[in-house]
Amino acid sequence: MTTVRGVASGKIILFGEHAVVYGRPAIAVPVRQVQAQAILETTNPGHGFVVDALDLKRSYRLSTAPANDPIATIIRLTLGRLTRPDPPDALLSLTSTIPLGRGLGSGAAISTAIVRALARFFQQPLNPEEISALVYDVEKLYHGTPSGIDNTVIAFEQPVYFVKGKPIERMRAGWPFTLVIADTGLVAPTHQVVGDLRRRWQAEPARYEVYFDQIGAIVNRARRTIEHGPADLNRLGRLMDDNQAILTDLGVSSPELNWLINTARQAGALGAKLSGAGWGGNMIALVEPEQATAVAQSLSDAGATATIVTRVAVFAHSKKAK
Ligand code: PMV
């Protein structure tokens, strides 16, 4: 009897969402307070490979899953990568504390947890780059034109400076800072928001390219601020506000997001913006550590359905991924 476990954290995008789809940089960080878990245990011979998605209240045999099922897809892709085309007799139990469709990387995290569990089960370790590539293949099937930032930050489990199609850059020594993450309670329909913006970009490319360049410049300023300190939280907060202003011009914010963003600023946050695709999902606010509880409380009072306080500790060495 073998039992193995794979886990993966959630994530948020700090700066650069949407522009990252168009080749500009973005910064994303893991959120360890929420995670997806995959437990794989051997069962009796002939039992087949059974998936038990506990949160979704779905249980099914891999052999009967439709071709477009995302969980079945990542299992099949990973088995192929591990050159184990025949699924073992096993039960895969999936749970997650990452809310679905809120920009916290729920899909990429569950895929990553599954890949890790399968790699452990067969004792064939995969490096973060290989895991990221497998998860990206599934993201492409379900999200249209994903930049690849979700699978990258979740597979590497570190703050990343990400440019589509380039090797990831881990963030350099800097100083930790505190964020409050608050959920509007609405699903952020990534595929729709990205598709809607794409149509507007196609109609007026020059106008939107300017916005994307402005976001790219903010991301680079934010990176320098994060990496080089001394702690300049006010500047980082202003950069968040600047990024949010352009996201609003891009048409990806929403009244619910704006309400929480303004609430956070009034409660003393140094800056705030949406995180992820927008139209719903989560916003993030930069706070002094001692303000975190008060800002989180104000956001809950204003209608946020969940809040998370997270401390972003930036990695100590900058190096390109292998
Ligand atoms: O909402 P999420 O976590 O799927 O983030 C979407 C981020 C976008 O930049 C809007 C799209 C992408 O693929 O990077």
Side-chain angles (χ1 to χ4, degrees):
M1 185 85 176
T2 307
T3 302
V4 295
R5 199 167 81 104
V7 293
S9 299
K11 72 94 203 7
I12 46 159
I13 297 178
L14 277 188
F15 290 96
E17 49 275 275
H18 286 290
V20 69
V21 175
Y22 298 83
R24 275 51 163 206
I27 297 171
V29 301
V31 176
R32 296 182 212 286
Q33 285 88 342
V34 284
Q35 57 177 216
Q37 174 173 264
I39 294 176
L40 187 59
E41 52 196 314
T42 44
T43 48
N44 293 331
H47 191 260
F49 191 105
V50 174
V51 179
D52 201 355
L54 296 158
D55 302 324
L56 303 175
K57 299 194 171 39
R58 278 181 63 210
S59 183
Y60 52 95
R61 270 176 208 289
L62 182 65
S63 56
T64 62
N68 65 356
D69 179 84
I71 292 170
T73 304
I74 191 67
I75 296 167
R76 291 186 183 121
L77 284 173
T78 308
L79 290 173
R81 171 65 188 75
L82 299 172
T83 53
R84 304 279 180 162
D86 299 324
D89 291 307
L91 173 67
L92 179 68
S93 306
L94 303 173
T95 51
S96 176
T97 56
I98 310 175
L100 292 178
R102 309 292 222 295
L104 289 176
S106 56
I110 203 79
S111 292
T112 302
I114 292 171
V115 178
R116 287 183 176 147
L118 284 166
R120 232 160 252 160
F121 187 85
F122 290 113
Q123 298 180 1
Q124 286 176 244
L126 295 174
N127 67 35
E129 200 161 12
E130 291 168 313
I131 296 173
S132 181
L134 284 165
V135 176
Y136 185 51
D137 282 343
V138 179
E139 297 279 293
K140 277 193 288 201
L141 288 176
Y142 302 99
H143 297 296
T145 55
S147 61
I149 192 167
D150 279 24
N151 47 285
T152 302
V153 64
I154 290 171
F156 281 84
E157 300 179 280
Q158 284 164 19
V160 296
Y161 174 90
F162 176 86
V163 180
K164 189 175 176 178
K166 299 244 172 87
I168 76 149
E169 292 180 42
R170 295 168 187 165
M171 301 277 290
R172 253 208 323 242
W175 36 274
F177 53 90
T178 304
L179 295 172
V180 180
I181 305 171
D183 195 338
T184 59
L186 303 171
V187 167
T190 303
H191 189 72
Q192 276 175 37
V193 191
V194 171
D196 184 77
L197 179 55
R198 182 169 293 280
R199 280 185 288 281
R200 282 181 282 123
W201 169 74
Q202 280 164 344
E204 284 182 279
R207 174 168 171 222
Y208 284 90
E209 288 293 325
V210 171
Y211 288 138
F212 298 147
D213 282 342
Q214 288 170 344
I215 292 178
I218 289 171
V219 173
N220 287 327
R221 270 181 232 128
R223 180 187 188 172
R224 284 196 292 276
T225 308
I226 292 168
E227 287 191 329
H228 297 307
D232 192 349
L233 283 181
N234 287 313
R235 180 177 156 84
L236 197 60
R238 279 197 304 275
L239 290 168
M240 277 191 176
D241 291 343
D242 292 349
N243 195 159
Q244 174 61 21
I246 303 171
L247 289 165
T248 303
D249 289 343
L250 288 177
V252 300
S253 199
S254 71
E256 295 81 4
L257 283 164
N258 296 342
W259 168 247
L260 293 183
I261 288 165
N262 289 334
T263 300
R265 288 177 185 152
Q266 275 163 21
L270 304 167
K273 62 182 279 295
L274 67 84
S275 178
W279 288 3
N282 277 276
M283 53 75 67
I284 54 175
L286 179 70
V287 296
E288 300 278 8
E290 54 277 12
Q291 291 176 308
T293 309
V295 172
Q297 186 59 53
S298 301
L299 288 163
S300 297
D301 293 345
T305 55
T307 59
I308 299 170
V309 176
T310 190
R311 194 139 170 89
V312 179
V314 179
F315 209 59
H317 299 286
S318 169
K319 61 178 185 183
K320 295 255 162 79
K322 282 181 282 191

Short mmCIF file of all heavy atoms in Angstrom, two decimals, residues 11 13 17-18 20-21 103 145-147 149-150 190 194 276-277, ligand 1:
data_model
loop_
_atom_site.label_atom_id
_atom_site.label_comp_id
_atom_site.label_asym_id
_atom_site.label_seq_id
_atom_site.Cartn_x
_atom_site.Cartn_y
_atom_site.Cartn_z
N LYS A 11 -1.70 31.74 -5.46
CA LYS A 11 -0.83 32.83 -5.89
C LYS A 11 -1.64 34.12 -6.08
O LYS A 11 -2.87 34.08 -6.21
CB LYS A 11 -0.15 32.46 -7.22
CG LYS A 11 -1.12 32.48 -8.44
CD LYS A 11 -1.09 33.79 -9.15
CE LYS A 11 -2.18 34.29 -10.00
NZ LYS A 11 -3.44 33.94 -10.31
N ILE A 13 -1.19 37.92 -8.41
CA ILE A 13 -0.37 38.78 -9.26
C ILE A 13 -0.25 40.13 -8.55
O ILE A 13 -1.27 40.73 -8.19
CB ILE A 13 -1.00 38.93 -10.66
CG1 ILE A 13 -1.05 37.55 -11.34
CG2 ILE A 13 -0.21 39.93 -11.50
CD1 ILE A 13 -1.69 37.54 -12.71
N GLU A 17 -0.89 42.25 -14.49
CA GLU A 17 -1.86 41.38 -15.16
C GLU A 17 -2.36 42.05 -16.45
O GLU A 17 -2.32 43.27 -16.60
CB GLU A 17 -3.05 41.00 -14.26
CG GLU A 17 -3.74 42.11 -13.52
CD GLU A 17 -3.03 42.40 -12.21
OE1 GLU A 17 -3.28 41.75 -11.19
OE2 GLU A 17 -2.21 43.34 -12.24
N HIS A 18 -2.81 41.24 -17.36
CA HIS A 18 -3.29 41.62 -18.69
C HIS A 18 -2.15 42.06 -19.61
O HIS A 18 -1.98 41.49 -20.68
CB HIS A 18 -4.39 42.68 -18.64
CG HIS A 18 -5.69 42.10 -18.16
ND1 HIS A 18 -6.42 41.23 -18.93
CD2 HIS A 18 -6.35 42.22 -16.99
CE1 HIS A 18 -7.49 40.83 -18.26
NE2 HIS A 18 -7.47 41.42 -17.07
N VAL A 20 0.75 41.38 -19.30
CA VAL A 20 1.64 40.22 -19.39
C VAL A 20 1.25 39.30 -20.55
O VAL A 20 2.09 38.62 -21.14
CB VAL A 20 1.68 39.45 -18.04
CG1 VAL A 20 0.36 38.76 -17.73
CG2 VAL A 20 2.83 38.47 -17.98
N VAL A 21 -0.04 39.32 -20.92
CA VAL A 21 -0.49 38.52 -22.06
C VAL A 21 0.11 39.07 -23.36
O VAL A 21 0.29 38.36 -24.34
CB VAL A 21 -2.04 38.53 -22.13
CG1 VAL A 21 -2.57 37.81 -23.36
CG2 VAL A 21 -2.64 37.93 -20.85
N GLY A 103 -8.82 34.43 -9.14
CA GLY A 103 -7.50 34.99 -9.38
C GLY A 103 -6.44 34.50 -8.40
O GLY A 103 -5.34 35.05 -8.36
N THR A 145 -5.62 32.11 -24.07
CA THR A 145 -4.26 32.58 -24.33
C THR A 145 -3.55 32.94 -23.03
O THR A 145 -3.17 34.08 -22.82
CB THR A 145 -4.29 33.84 -25.21
OG1 THR A 145 -5.15 34.81 -24.54
CG2 THR A 145 -4.80 33.58 -26.60
N PRO A 146 -3.36 31.98 -22.14
CA PRO A 146 -2.74 32.34 -20.86
C PRO A 146 -1.29 32.76 -21.04
O PRO A 146 -0.59 32.23 -21.90
CB PRO A 146 -2.82 31.03 -20.06
CG PRO A 146 -2.81 29.96 -21.08
CD PRO A 146 -3.52 30.53 -22.28
N SER A 147 -0.86 33.71 -20.22
CA SER A 147 0.53 34.15 -20.31
C SER A 147 1.47 33.07 -19.78
O SER A 147 2.64 33.02 -20.15
CB SER A 147 0.72 35.42 -19.50
OG SER A 147 0.42 35.18 -18.14
N ILE A 149 1.84 32.81 -16.36
CA ILE A 149 2.34 33.30 -15.07
C ILE A 149 1.84 32.44 -13.91
O ILE A 149 2.58 32.19 -12.96
CB ILE A 149 2.00 34.80 -14.88
CG1 ILE A 149 2.78 35.36 -13.68
CG2 ILE A 149 0.50 35.04 -14.75
CD1 ILE A 149 2.78 36.87 -13.59
N ASP A 150 0.59 31.95 -13.99
CA ASP A 150 0.03 31.17 -12.88
C ASP A 150 0.84 29.88 -12.66
O ASP A 150 1.28 29.59 -11.55
CB ASP A 150 -1.43 30.77 -13.15
CG ASP A 150 -2.40 31.90 -12.85
OD1 ASP A 150 -1.96 33.06 -12.87
OD2 ASP A 150 -3.58 31.62 -12.60
N THR A 190 -11.78 34.76 -16.21
CA THR A 190 -10.52 35.09 -16.90
C THR A 190 -10.65 35.02 -18.41
O THR A 190 -10.26 35.97 -19.12
CB THR A 190 -9.40 34.11 -16.44
OG1 THR A 190 -9.30 34.20 -15.02
CG2 THR A 190 -8.07 34.44 -17.07
N VAL A 194 -10.20 38.42 -20.61
CA VAL A 194 -9.05 38.46 -21.52
C VAL A 194 -9.55 38.57 -22.97
O VAL A 194 -9.01 39.35 -23.77
CB VAL A 194 -8.14 37.23 -21.32
CG1 VAL A 194 -7.07 37.13 -22.39
CG2 VAL A 194 -7.49 37.28 -19.94
N GLY A 276 -5.28 39.72 -10.77
CA GLY A 276 -5.80 38.67 -11.65
C GLY A 276 -6.58 39.29 -12.78
O GLY A 276 -6.34 40.43 -13.19
N ALA A 277 -7.55 38.57 -13.28
CA ALA A 277 -8.24 39.01 -14.50
C ALA A 277 -9.16 40.21 -14.28
O ALA A 277 -9.33 41.05 -15.16
CB ALA A 277 -9.05 37.84 -15.07
O1 PMV B 1 -7.29 35.59 -12.83
P1 PMV B 1 -6.10 34.80 -13.12
O2 PMV B 1 -5.33 34.39 -11.93
O3 PMV B 1 -6.33 33.68 -14.06
O4 PMV B 1 -5.05 35.79 -13.80
C1 PMV B 1 -5.24 36.24 -15.08
C2 PMV B 1 -4.05 37.06 -15.41
C3 PMV B 1 -4.11 37.64 -16.81
O5 PMV B 1 -2.93 38.42 -16.97
C4 PMV B 1 -5.32 38.52 -16.97
C5 PMV B 1 -4.15 36.54 -17.86
C6 PMV B 1 -2.87 35.77 -18.02
O6 PMV B 1 -2.91 34.73 -18.67
O7 PMV B 1 -1.80 36.22 -17.55
#
